[in-house]
Amino acid sequence: MPSQGLSCDRIRAFCLVGLALLMAAGSGCRAGGRGAGFGAFYTPADRINDLLDGNLMQNASRVYDANPGYFTKSDAETMAACERLVRALMLEIEPQAEAALEDLDRAAWPAGPAAWPEMRNALARARAVLEEAAQHRVLAAQELRPAVLERLAAQDRNLRFQITADAPEMLADYPLLSAEKSFFEVYPVKIDAAKAFGDDALNFWRKRLKDAVSPEILHAFDLYGGSLPAAVQEAMGEAYYLSIMRSERERGAMSLAAALAAAKTVRKTGMPLAAAPGARVVFVNVTSRTLLRKGLLDFPVSIDNDTPFETSRGSMRRLFAGNATLDADFYVLVDTASTRSERTIYKKQTRLSEFLSGVQTVENRRYIEERDRVLRLRQKYDSAGDHALFASDPFVQLFGAVSQSRLDDDLEKAEERLKNTPMYVEKEVYSEYAYPVFDLEVVKLATVNYYVVDVRAKRYFKDVFDVRESQSFSVAYGVNPKDPHRRDILAGKETEEDVTDFEDAPVHVPLSAILEQFASQPGKGKPLASLASLADQIFADRNRAVELAKKTRVFTGDEGSDERFKAVVYVSLPRSLGSGFYVRDDVVMTNYHVVEESDFVEIRLYDGAETFGKVIAKDIQHDLALIKVQARRKPLKFYSGNSLPLGATAEVIGNPEGFKFSISRGVISAVRRDTPPMAMQSGKNLYIQTDAAINPGNSGGPLFLGDAVIGVVDFVIRESEGLNFAIHYSDALAFMKKSGIEPMLAKEEDVHVKK
């Protein structure tokens, strides 16, 4: 019986397993029927057959694509399903493939441009059929691929290869300049334009552009310009320019104006024009050397060639030589008549900051803390010792001894720290100061006379070209080098060097601007009798420019009842003031001790105008300084005699105690050589002693004999009355000459001496 029971159990187990397998198989069949999965009893091949029964070819193709591993089998059932799928798909594709093959057979190659559209369309249809077939992976299987698709792919591939290989030859024969459409637009296959012309693209195009007319070149540029190398585009621009100039030459209109117009036309099309053949221009600078040498020009003018014409620089001397040969088409002669820079201060702000003015010795706070710590530890140490010696309780004695031992270590360390801590330290001391910030505009003005000589037409043209440049600046002056905020103050602001760099930099005038101004006035040209006559006119214009510059800078004429006041200035610094006076139209003289080590100072003029200047020269020994200023005024003249009349009236104009532009009178008391009062000076200087009232603020101002300056006010002896001294004019004149500045002298007979 037990064996029969065991047998029943086994039978029951086998039945359960079989039932499970049947359920799994049944489940697979149902899932496969819905397209959601496959099992042992329902395969992808079964699914394809079911879908084909329902005429769902696309869905059947997707089943094949989704199960690549399964369809690697070569059993009869699987192959039969695949072949059935291929036949179903080819019912639609095969007629299209046959038609595409017929189109390729009809479109024979090689062929001329007229047949290219048909070939292009045939290739496009073949490619469309092949791309549609490629969407079905089953049609690409080697053992299943239909023969018609094989033939179509091979013919398409071979034909495209042949057409591509023939492209250079076809391109060479194509009417690039006259065809309505681009070669690359109509050629049957796509060609890389950059590669199609080969490595010798420049010569390829030059041959075709050689005799081309303007419309052809423009048409070719529109079709091909964007795909051509820069050198070929420039060749097109050059050819287009030459074509225009040939037409102008045929009409008898060959001139610089015509060349300019042609170059402008070329550039309007977008063609680059690096060089314009047949229009050689020689540029000659005929600016007066007097203007250059004597500093009557504030900045140079640079004529920059931005034209496509071949230009070179010529010599005025060689041009006007008796046997000069005019070997250029055009000459452009430029005469800079005047250049002037002007500063205008439109805003001034005074700002406060601080600078490191010194150090101060102060008690070290850390030393005090360490000293107090030592005192507290000593008190604790002594208290613990008392407990250890005098307590009656042995436990308290023991606790005191232990505490004293621990405190002994702490006290030793504290005393060592105190020993290494300085009792005094140096503390930085900062002082307040003021510095000015100027918002200003610099305007640069230039006037250029120019002459254009047309050698072929034997005519010349003369006109004036005005240039204006301006730039705004915000400059902080006198920021102390020891100001801890210096970097932040100067951040975002320009420096005086930036301003002077802009003022001194040349103004750049494009040659095209001059030539276009010339071309816009065709009727103003005059016959060129000879180079000599042109030279005479240029020299006459230059002489007028020199005279005008001198008059502008010398300031002749009556400007008031006492011209001397207008030449005296108020020199202002954040912590001092003084006087000064014009010794040239843009240079002021003052004392060294007024400006000291300042680089820039504020200047106020008699008429209320404000400007500022840069200190350009210093003489500590003679206590003199020179300041370059922007506002120009009529300068004073120095006395030129060898001796001074003692007792003659002497006058001082200056700013005593800040009372601006005051005059005081006295006499010339003596001329004496004495030791300078400033500690930094050594040796003896020549001074003029006077009793004319002098006070702080007069320093640096002029001492007059009549209208002539005989001294620079320097110092007074305060413990006495009427002992005032000025630096002798001979030292002032020597300082100016040493600094490269020519002084203006009054004739001795013109100085009216008052007794």
Side-chain angles (χ1 to χ4, degrees):
M1 290 299 293
S3 62
Q4 291 177 355
L6 180 60
S7 177
C8 290
D9 291 340
R10 288 180 177 177
I11 291 171
R12 190 179 299 111
F14 281 124
C15 289
L16 290 172
V17 170
L19 180 61
L21 290 172
L22 287 172
M23 291 177 65
S27 174
C29 290
R30 288 192 299 275
R34 296 194 305 271
F38 302 103
F41 297 97
Y42 192 76
T43 66
D46 295 330
R47 180 61 176 161
I48 285 177
N49 285 322
D50 286 347
L51 292 170
L52 290 176
D53 290 341
N55 202 27
L56 300 173
M57 294 177 293
Q58 300 296 331
N59 291 350
S61 179
R62 283 194 283 272
V63 171
Y64 181 92
D65 294 344
N67 297 274
Y70 175 82
F71 288 104
T72 57
K73 298 180 185 179
S74 58
D75 60 275
E77 182 182 356
T78 302
M79 289 300 295
C82 292
E83 289 170 356
R84 185 185 176 194
L85 175 59
V86 169
R87 288 193 300 273
L89 292 171
M90 289 303 292
L91 288 174
E92 182 179 345
I93 295 175
E94 187 168 6
Q96 299 176 17
E98 294 288 356
L101 278 169
E102 292 177 7
D103 290 343
L104 291 179
D105 289 338
R106 280 196 304 269
W109 188 264
W116 291 356
E118 182 182 356
M119 177 62 76
R120 192 183 189 94
N121 291 335
L123 290 170
R125 283 192 292 272
R127 182 57 57 86
V129 173
L130 292 171
E131 287 177 353
E132 182 181 353
Q135 295 177 8
H136 306 286
R137 187 176 296 176
V138 68
L139 297 179
Q142 186 174 1
E143 65 277 8
L144 299 171
R145 186 168 176 80
V148 67
L149 293 181
E150 289 280 6
R151 293 197 307 275
L152 181 61
Q155 190 161 346
D156 177 77
R157 183 172 57 253
N158 294 336
L159 193 53
R160 286 179 181 275
F161 178 81
Q162 185 180 355
I163 294 172
T164 302
D166 292 342
E169 183 180 348
M170 295 293 181
L171 179 61
D173 295 334
Y174 190 75
L176 296 171
L177 302 178
S178 58
E180 181 181 353
K181 294 184 177 180
S182 163
F183 171 84
F184 305 103
E185 183 181 353
V186 298
Y187 199 61
V189 298
K190 188 174 181 180
I191 300 294
D192 187 338
K195 296 178 180 178
F197 295 110
D199 297 334
D200 202 20
L202 184 58
N203 286 331
F204 176 93
W205 275 100
R206 275 182 173 162
K207 291 177 182 177
R208 284 153 182 77
L209 296 171
K210 183 177 179 183
D211 298 317
V213 295
S214 302
E216 292 177 333
I217 300 170
L218 182 58
H219 178 64
F221 183 77
D222 289 340
L223 290 181
Y224 303 103
S227 61
L228 295 175
V232 177
Q233 294 186 40
E234 290 178 2
M236 280 189 162
E238 182 179 316
Y240 192 47
Y241 170 83
L242 289 174
S243 176
I244 296 173
M245 293 307 295
R246 279 197 299 270
S247 301
E248 293 293 324
R249 198 174 290 113
E250 290 169 3
R251 295 192 301 108
M254 179 60 183
S255 64
L256 182 56
L260 284 168
K264 196 170 184 179
T265 300
V266 173
R267 287 178 169 172
K268 277 184 178 179
T269 66
M271 296 185 206
L273 183 60
R280 182 165 177 260
V281 179
V282 173
F283 167 75
V284 183
N285 189 345
V286 296
T287 302
S288 166
R289 291 187 179 181
T290 300
L291 292 178
L292 296 172
R293 281 199 306 264
K294 293 194 174 181
L296 297 176
L297 297 177
D298 284 357
F299 53 85
V301 174
S302 174
I303 308 299
D304 299 335
N305 179 30
D306 63 334
T307 71
F309 306 132
E310 178 190 354
T311 60
S312 60
R313 294 190 177 271
S315 163
M316 181 177 67
R317 183 177 299 176
R318 184 176 301 172
L319 175 64
F320 294 127
N323 57 350
T325 301
L326 300 181
D327 54 355
D329 301 299
F330 307 99
Y331 283 80
V332 177
L333 287 67
V334 175
D335 171 23
T336 303
S338 68
T339 63
R340 190 179 189 86
S341 61
E342 299 176 351
R343 293 192 191 188
T344 302
I345 301 172
Y346 55 85
K347 185 178 181 182
K348 177 198 171 184
Q349 304 173 68
T350 300
R351 296 181 180 174
L352 298 177
S353 189
E354 60 182 359
F355 70 98
L356 179 61
S357 56
V359 293
Q360 181 180 8
T361 301
V362 296
E363 195 170 13
N364 189 355
R365 184 174 297 176
R366 186 181 166 197
Y367 177 85
I368 296 173
E369 293 172 353
E370 294 294 342
R371 184 192 61 191
D372 292 345
R373 184 178 290 110
V374 168
L375 291 175
R376 289 195 300 272
L377 286 172
R378 282 177 178 168
Q379 290 176 353
K380 290 181 179 180
Y381 180 85
D382 293 342
S383 176
D386 290 344
H387 282 85
L389 291 175
F390 303 112
S392 58
D393 188 339
F395 178 77
V396 174
Q397 290 180 351
L398 178 61
F399 179 78
V402 172
S403 297
Q404 190 177 34
S405 176
R406 188 181 68 250
L407 288 170
D408 185 53
D409 292 338
D410 294 343
L411 181 58
E412 183 178 352
K413 292 177 182 178
E415 289 176 338
E416 182 65 23
R417 285 197 300 272
L418 179 62
K419 178 181 177 182
N420 295 325
T421 302
M423 185 180 298
Y424 297 97
V425 293
E426 290 185 340
K427 178 184 177 183
E428 293 181 342
V429 177
Y430 290 89
S431 301
E432 187 179 73
Y433 78 103
Y435 64 90
V437 176
F438 290 98
D439 292 339
L440 56 99
E441 181 184 38
V442 178
V443 177
K444 300 173 71 172
L445 304 169
T447 299
V448 179
N449 297 321
Y450 71 95
Y451 313 80
V452 179
V453 180
D454 189 332
V455 176
R456 295 178 183 176
K458 294 185 178 180
R459 296 179 67 81
Y460 80 96
F461 171 89
K462 172 195 170 186
D463 205 346
V464 178
F465 193 88
D466 292 317
V467 184
R468 184 183 189 277
E469 284 187 5
S470 65
Q471 186 170 329
S472 296
F473 298 87
S474 180
V475 185
Y477 289 94
V479 179
N480 196 296
K482 294 183 178 181
D483 189 327
H485 314 294
R486 178 181 174 85
R487 179 175 296 179
D488 294 335
I489 291 172
L490 297 179
K493 288 187 168 51
E494 293 86 4
T495 64
E496 173 63 20
E497 285 71 20
D498 295 329
V499 181
T500 55
D501 286 347
F502 174 74
E503 290 173 332
D504 297 339
V507 166
H508 293 273
V509 178
L511 180 59
S512 62
I514 293 178
L515 297 183
E516 286 174 7
Q517 183 174 347
F518 151 72
S520 67
Q521 306 175 71
K524 291 186 67 175
K526 297 180 181 179
L528 178 64
S530 65
L531 286 177
S533 62
L534 179 60
D536 290 341
Q537 178 163 356
I538 290 173
F539 285 119
D541 291 341
R542 291 197 333 178
N543 290 336
R544 279 194 291 272
V546 171
E547 289 304 316
L548 179 61
K550 288 181 177 178
K551 288 179 180 178
T552 302
R553 309 236 172 176
V554 172
F555 294 94
T556 58
D558 184 9
E559 295 183 12
S561 58
D562 192 338
E563 293 295 316
R564 298 178 302 175
F565 278 91
K566 298 177 182 179
V568 178
V569 302
Y570 179 98
V571 182
S572 175
L573 287 96
R575 293 186 175 276
S576 64
L577 62 90
S579 302
F581 58 98
Y582 277 90
V583 294
R584 296 295 297 180
D585 68 323
D586 60 351
V587 177
V588 165
M589 178 174 282
T590 187
N591 287 139
Y592 167 78
H593 78 259
V594 172
V595 300
E596 291 187 333
E597 294 306 309
S598 299
D599 292 326
F600 304 97
V601 296
E602 183 181 352
I603 302 290
R604 298 180 191 176
L605 308 180
Y606 181 68
D607 60 9
E610 292 186 354
T611 184
F612 52 90
K614 180 179 182 179
V615 179
I616 58 173
K618 300 173 183 176
D619 183 345
I620 299 177
Q621 171 63 31
H622 295 99
D623 196 21
L624 293 171
L626 293 173
I627 305 169
K628 180 84 169 180
V629 294
Q630 292 301 309
R632 299 175 186 272
R633 293 295 185 268
K634 180 180 177 180
L636 296 173
K637 296 181 180 181
F638 281 90
Y639 185 74
S640 59
N642 292 329
S643 61
L644 290 171
L646 300 184
T649 299
E651 295 173 315
V652 172
I653 298 179
N655 309 287
E657 302 291 355
F659 291 94
K660 301 180 185 66
F661 306 104
S662 304
I663 187 170
S664 60
R665 290 187 175 89
V667 298
I668 301 175
S669 304
V671 176
R672 65 179 73 255
R673 192 172 295 277
D674 207 340
T675 303
M678 297 177 66
M680 67 180 70
Q681 296 169 319
S682 60
K684 293 187 176 183
N685 294 339
L686 193 61
Y687 294 102
I688 299 172
Q689 179 183 326
T690 180
D691 62 350
I694 292 176
N695 293 280
N698 278 119
S699 294
L703 176 66
F704 289 100
L705 176 62
D707 292 336
V709 177
I710 58 173
V712 181
V713 174
D714 195 24
F715 67 94
V716 301
I717 298 178
R718 294 204 174 275
E719 293 78 11
S720 60
E721 184 177 349
L723 290 178
N724 308 316
F725 296 87
I727 301 158
H728 196 272
Y729 64 90
S730 61
D731 286 339
L733 293 174
F735 172 51
M736 287 182 65
K737 291 179 179 179
K738 182 180 178 181
S739 303
I741 297 174
E742 192 66 27
M744 299 185 68
L745 301 178
K747 295 180 180 179
E748 192 171 357
E749 58 269 22
D750 293 336
V751 178
H752 303 292
V753 179
K754 301 177 183 178
K755 291 285 188 176

